[in-house]
């Protein structure tokens, strides 16, 4: 074989590999993985680190997570320190080319502290409430961040990614209208949750979360706080505790019994419970549960 032909073959095979190489994405949450699959289609390879059944604030950092990031193009996270554990994984991956995407920049943030938090108070929401993905309108902001990141790594696929995103937003808008309509009869409803996971969800549907089983975000229940919460629920007539999929139900059940309320399982991430395989079915599930709990 002539040397030039040989070189040509080598170069063209490199080119083929490049043009068919998938963008490798690691996300923190399963929901972010779902959105990335929606936009990236068959041109991305996606993995999430936190299972839907896990509390995203606390995961055990494993060396295998660093290896996943070592070979990834993009790491997508919620930000606002939800993934306090992520820096350790990013540092450990020693991947200088990793594109890190924090989806929270353009989100209208709730519960931003007005004074500097005392670290000893243990509050795990120092930049405000990070559970914003549970407002379906915020998903559009997240999709835009993901689109920009995928485009940076694979500019030639921009039109493909954009078309996928637009199709999903259309579908999401239909679902948002459906959820809003279904939730209309329970608008103004009040409930208690374990952690402050549902502020954005409640805000979207015109509901109020009026108390928490945790005395502060990240602080386990205490007897004095539990007593106060029961009194508050009795006084205000709150009949529902919306319990995240990953919290124990002993304390919430005791509180509910004492306050003549019921415990309803809600879910914060895709795959966290049965029939919550993706974000849309997760929201379908939460809407059904909220209606059952509040009506
Ligand atoms: Zn939280």
């Amino acid at each position: 074989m002539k040397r030039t032909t040989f070189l040509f073959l080598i170069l063209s095979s490199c080119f083929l590999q490049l043009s068919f190489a998938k963008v490798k994405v690691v996300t923190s949450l399963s929901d972010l993985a779902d959105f990335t699959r929606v936009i990236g289609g068959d041109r991305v390879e996606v993995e999430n680190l936190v299972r839907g059944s896990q509390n995203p604030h606390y995961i055990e950092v494993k060396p295998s997570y660093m290896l996943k990031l070592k070979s990834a193009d993009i790491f997508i996270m919620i930000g606002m320190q939800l993934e306090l554990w992520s820096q350790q994984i990013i540092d450990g991956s020693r991947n200088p080319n990793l594109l890190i995407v924090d989806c929270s920049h353009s989100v209208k943030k709730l519960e931003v502290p007005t004074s500097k938090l005392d670290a000893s108070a243990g509050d795990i929401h120092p930049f405000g409430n990070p559970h914003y993905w549970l407002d379906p309108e915020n998903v559009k902001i997240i999709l835009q961040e993901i689109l920009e990141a995928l485009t940076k790594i694979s500019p030639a696929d921009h039109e493909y990614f954009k078309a996928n995103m637009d199709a999903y937003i259309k579908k999401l808008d239909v679902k948002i209208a459906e959820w809003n309509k279904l939730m209309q009869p329970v608008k103004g409803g009040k409930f208690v949750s374990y952690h402050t996971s549902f502020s954005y969800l409640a805000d979207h549907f015109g509901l109020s979360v009026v108390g928490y089983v945790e005395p502060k975000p990240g602080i386990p229940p205490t007897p004095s706080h539990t007593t106060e919460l029961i009194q508050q629920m009795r006084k205000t007539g709150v009949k529902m505790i919306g319990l995240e999929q990953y919290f124990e139900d002993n304390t919430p059940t005791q509180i509910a019994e004492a306050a003549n309320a019921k415990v309803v399982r809600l879910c914060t991430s895709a795959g966290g419970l049965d029939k919550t395989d993706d974000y849309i079915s997760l929201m379908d599930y939460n809407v059904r549960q909220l209606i059952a709990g509040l009506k």
Side-chain angles (χ1 to χ4, degrees), residues 28-29 32 76-80 82-83 102-104 130 132-133:
S28 57
L29 302 191
L32 296 175
I76 303 174
M77 56 184 191
I78 289 294
M80 298 175 75
L82 176 82
E83 304 96 338
D102 174 339
C103 295
S104 71
Y132 59 82
W133 70 97

Side-chain angles (χ1 to χ4, degrees), residues 163-177:
N164 286 345
M165 184 182 88
D166 290 344
Y168 184 74
I169 290 177
K170 251 189 190 165
K171 190 170 145 190
L172 186 65
D173 276 334
V174 171
K175 291 302 292 188
I176 290 175

Side-chain angles (χ1 to χ4, degrees), residues 65-109:
Y65 295 167
M66 298 172 190
L67 284 176
K68 285 180 205 294
L69 283 199
K70 192 178 179 62
S71 60
D73 300 302
I74 310 176
F75 177 55
I76 303 174
M77 56 184 191
I78 289 294
M80 298 175 75
Q81 285 206 7
L82 176 82
E83 304 96 338
L84 201 53
W85 41 268
S86 62
Q87 198 54 49
Q88 200 186 339
I89 299 176
I90 292 167
D91 293 344
S93 75
R94 298 178 189 274
N95 177 354
N97 300 318
L98 185 69
L99 175 61
I100 298 163
V101 181
D102 174 339
C103 295
S104 71
H105 295 302
S106 311
V107 170
K108 190 174 155 253
K109 297 169 181 69

Side-chain angles (χ1 to χ4, degrees), residues 35 39 139-147 165 168-169:
F35 304 143
I39 300 181
V139 169
K140 296 173 191 172
I141 296 173
I142 299 173
L143 293 171
Q144 192 58 44
E145 297 281 353
I146 296 174
L147 172 71
M165 184 182 88
Y168 184 74
I169 290 177

Side-chain angles (χ1 to χ4, degrees), residues 57 82 124-125 130-131 195-196:
H57 282 294
L82 176 82
I124 54 171
H125 292 170
H131 301 273
H195 179 71
T196 58

